[in-house]
Amino acid sequence: MPIVGACDKNVKVKDQTDLNSVNACSKFKADVVIDGVSGIGALSLDSVKEITGDLIIQNMYDLQTVSLGSLESAGSLKILNNTNVYKVDIPQLTSVDDFQIIVNPNLKELTYSNISSTNNFQIIGTHVSTLGAFTASKPGNVEILSNKELTQLDFSSVKETKGYINIANNGKNANVTFSSLTLVGGNVSFADAATLDIGKLNSVNDDFSLYTNDFKNLTVGSLQEAKKSITVTGNSFEAISFPKLEEIGSSLNIANNTNFNSISKTTFPKLTTVPGSIVLQGSFDNITFPSLKTVDGQVSLSGKGKLSCDEAEKELSVADNIDCSLEVISDSSDENSGSDTNEENGHSDHTTSGTSRTAVSAALGGAIAVAVAFF
């Protein structure tokens, strides 16, 4: 039996005796902090079923295994910066307000059966190769970063989040599934994924970003509203489509997507309003925004492709401020065209530079036009 009063007072563990005292409680109504204690290789609190406060295990450099065999719920569970931990076992855990497994670089085995309720869920900087079941439908934040062995990220139960979603730098060929997601209350960012399912996503209350993903095509088929910016940078896809998107709350940024050379009439077919800037950088052969009526900020165009500044500015004529430094590449072999010639793989590409109408107007007015390329 636990000592009366020992299960409702904060404990800062100094040794095994303190651990034994906590382990004598089935329900612990306070915080347990285990920070920098040396000489503990295996940490076991297998008798504790509930901790209403925080359980923090951090900076335990001798620690190798953590066993919380009976723990079903906790206010928070934070396992942070334990360089030699390779196994964490919490098989009964279902409810935790704040779940953080962060910077445990040798952690390979993380066992939990089903997280059904959480406000903050973070797994960052581990070597885990699999995740347990996640059935929470309305978590706060979801962040899965820098887990190089992790390739299956199944969050198909998530319908909406109150906060952000951040998925990046996990295993090569990572498959990311948010197939039921309709609303993100904060920003959402997906990076380094081989496949991505966000087909039901309807609204994002902050920024929407795609970085360095490897999928060939993506249709964000239900997204109607992004209340801040949309950024699409460094991806490998050949085509992307936002068929229902009508308004962006801030800016649109599309840059350095190696295989993406056409913003076609199916890319943003319904987009009407961009109150901020538009930055387009890449090898574009075509730029089309069939429904665009308002651009309040500057449009910046740069890169090398078949599209000229004249053609691009005609398509973006609704914008008052266009800075264009597109360079046109053609297959012509006419050496008298006055263009530079570059040979690559046995082909001659002729490059001519375009000049924006904004810059020309400024020059004619006696001003000096400075072209600024945004990346």
Side-chain angles (χ1 to χ4, degrees), residues 256-277:
N256 299 321
N257 302 289
T258 309
N259 301 315
F260 182 59
N261 57 23
S262 177
I263 299 176
S264 71
K265 62 183 180 181
T266 62
T267 307
F268 295 100
K270 293 186 177 181
L271 181 63
T272 62
T273 305
V274 180
S277 62

Side-chain angles (χ1 to χ4, degrees), residues 20-33:
N20 293 340
S21 176
V22 174
N23 208 27
C25 304
S26 175
K27 181 176 182 179
F28 199 88
K29 300 179 182 180
D31 299 337
V32 180
V33 178

Side-chain angles (χ1 to χ4, degrees), residues 192-215:
D192 311 301
T195 65
L196 175 62
D197 186 350
I198 50 172
K200 292 183 179 180
L201 180 60
N202 177 264
S203 181
V204 177
N205 288 342
D206 208 293
D207 296 325
F208 175 94
S209 303
L210 298 172
Y211 295 105
T212 58
N213 293 286
D214 291 329
F215 44 76

Side-chain angles (χ1 to χ4, degrees), residues 139-195:
N141 309 313
V142 177
E143 188 167 34
I144 312 296
L145 301 177
S146 299
N147 305 285
K148 290 296 189 178
E149 303 300 318
L150 187 61
T151 58
Q152 300 296 326
L153 292 82
D154 185 357
F155 292 91
S156 55
S157 67
V158 177
K159 295 180 179 179
E160 62 182 68
T161 68
K162 295 182 282 292
Y164 63 84
I165 296 174
N166 190 10
I167 310 294
N169 198 31
N170 295 297
K172 187 177 181 181
N173 299 318
N175 300 301
V176 180
T177 302
F178 281 84
S179 55
S180 301
L181 182 67
T182 60
L183 169 66
V184 179
N187 63 280
V188 57
S189 178
F190 296 105
D192 311 301
T195 65

Side-chain angles (χ1 to χ4, degrees), residues 30-271:
D31 299 337
V32 180
V33 178
I34 310 167
D35 185 356
V37 181
S38 61
I40 298 178
L43 191 157
S44 174
L45 292 174
D46 283 334
S47 297
V48 182
K49 293 183 177 180
E50 180 181 359
I51 296 176
T52 59
D54 302 334
L55 173 57
I56 301 173
I57 303 168
Q58 63 184 11
N59 305 317
M60 299 284 288
Y61 304 121
D62 295 328
L63 189 62
Q64 295 183 317
T65 64
V66 176
S67 181
L68 306 170
S70 300
L71 187 66
E72 298 173 356
S73 66
S76 75
L77 174 60
K78 301 178 182 179
I79 301 178
L80 315 172
N81 194 34
N82 304 288
T83 55
N84 291 307
V85 167
Y86 67 86
K87 182 178 182 179
V88 173
D89 190 23
I90 37 179
Q92 305 301 318
L93 185 67
T94 59
S95 177
V96 55
D97 187 64
D98 188 2
F99 183 86
Q100 298 182 28
I101 309 293
I102 300 177
V103 191
N104 301 280
N106 288 301
L107 179 60
K108 295 182 178 180
E109 298 179 50
L110 174 61
T111 305
Y112 59 88
S113 61
N114 182 9
I115 303 296
S116 59
S117 176
T118 186
N119 188 52
N120 184 62
F121 188 81
Q122 295 174 285
I123 300 177
I124 301 172
T126 77
H127 266 77
V128 298
S129 58
T130 59
L131 299 179
F134 189 94
T135 59
S137 62
K138 296 181 180 180
N141 309 313
V142 177
E143 188 167 34
I144 312 296
L145 301 177
S146 299
N147 305 285
K148 290 296 189 178
E149 303 300 318
L150 187 61
T151 58
Q152 300 296 326
L153 292 82
D154 185 357
F155 292 91
S156 55
S157 67
V158 177
K159 295 180 179 179
E160 62 182 68
T161 68
K162 295 182 282 292
Y164 63 84
I165 296 174
N166 190 10
I167 310 294
N169 198 31
N170 295 297
K172 187 177 181 181
N173 299 318
N175 300 301
V176 180
T177 302
F178 281 84
S179 55
S180 301
L181 182 67
T182 60
L183 169 66
V184 179
N187 63 280
V188 57
S189 178
F190 296 105
D192 311 301
T195 65
L196 175 62
D197 186 350
I198 50 172
K200 292 183 179 180
L201 180 60
N202 177 264
S203 181
V204 177
N205 288 342
D206 208 293
D207 296 325
F208 175 94
S209 303
L210 298 172
Y211 295 105
T212 58
N213 293 286
D214 291 329
F215 44 76
K216 288 188 176 181
N217 301 287
L218 179 68
T219 298
V220 189
S222 299
L223 187 65
Q224 294 181 336
E225 181 182 34
K227 292 188 176 179
K228 291 192 177 180
S229 66
I230 288 183
T231 299
V232 181
T233 301
N235 300 280
S236 298
F237 56 71
E238 297 174 358
I240 190 169
S241 177
F242 294 79
K244 293 184 179 180
L245 183 66
E246 297 181 3
E247 294 187 8
I248 295 173
S250 182
S251 61
L252 174 63
N253 309 287
I254 301 176
N256 299 321
N257 302 289
T258 309
N259 301 315
F260 182 59
N261 57 23
S262 177
I263 299 176
S264 71
K265 62 183 180 181
T266 62
T267 307
F268 295 100
K270 293 186 177 181
L271 181 63

